[in-house]
Amino acid sequence: MSDSEKGFTLIEVLVSIVVLSIVSFSLLTIFTQSLKTTHDSLNQTIANQVAQNTLHTLNRRAATIKEPLKLSQFINQDGTCDFCEDTRIHGDKYVATIESLSSGPGHTIEVKISVTTSRLQTPVTLKGVISNATLREPFPETAVPTTN
């Protein structure tokens, strides 16, 4: 081979392959972590939606009750409710538990709803208020002054 021929040596090719492998492995690690973060975020979003749906369902059921509200009217002894014990989304089971934060019966109950699943490390918690129909009645029409 003459000195005038240009090309890559075997060492240069091997070094470039090693550098390309290191960069590729780093990008693969970043993509894997990104996918895991996205999946965790999706699970938290679904758990939050289950908690919000539970609160809305409790409010719809409370709207039909005329006497002062008690949490025992809505939930079982273990803190679960009959409509939220077995919520399955994408094959994962989401369990909502409801805890009263207010004391005694009244026309409103402050509640804390916690949603857990096997894929979440910490439960998603939502605080809200359940109220019955007496608080949802519209205000009476007010008299509009007339001009003479």
Side-chain angles (χ1 to χ4, degrees), residues 68-138:
L69 298 175
K70 294 177 277 194
L71 194 59
S72 61
Q73 294 168 312
F74 305 102
I75 64 170
N76 302 325
Q77 295 288 10
D78 60 355
T80 60
C81 54
D82 58 349
F83 58 87
C84 56
E85 286 181 347
D86 191 16
T87 305
R88 291 191 181 271
I89 301 171
H90 298 298
D92 293 330
K93 180 178 180 181
Y94 291 83
V95 178
T97 55
I98 305 163
E99 175 185 342
S100 176
L101 299 177
S102 57
S103 58
H107 292 287
T108 62
I109 303 173
E110 187 178 359
V111 294
K112 179 173 79 170
I113 301 170
S114 299
V115 178
T116 59
T117 185
S118 62
R119 295 190 183 196
L120 287 176
Q121 293 179 353
T122 58
V124 171
T125 303
L126 174 70
K127 291 182 181 178
V129 175
I130 302 169
S131 61
N132 65 2
T134 59
L135 294 177
R136 294 177 188 212
E137 293 174 0

Side-chain angles (χ1 to χ4, degrees), residues 29-48:
T29 304
I30 290 171
F31 288 139
T32 304
Q33 185 62 33
S34 175
L35 185 63
K36 183 185 179 310
T37 302
T38 302
H39 197 312
D40 291 346
S41 206
L42 176 65
N43 285 332
Q44 286 183 335
T45 301
I46 291 172
N48 187 24

Side-chain angles (χ1 to χ4, degrees), residues 11-25:
I11 299 294
E12 290 172 330
V13 171
L14 289 176
V15 167
S16 66
I17 289 174
V18 167
V19 169
L20 185 63
S21 298
I22 291 171
V23 170
S24 298
F25 183 73

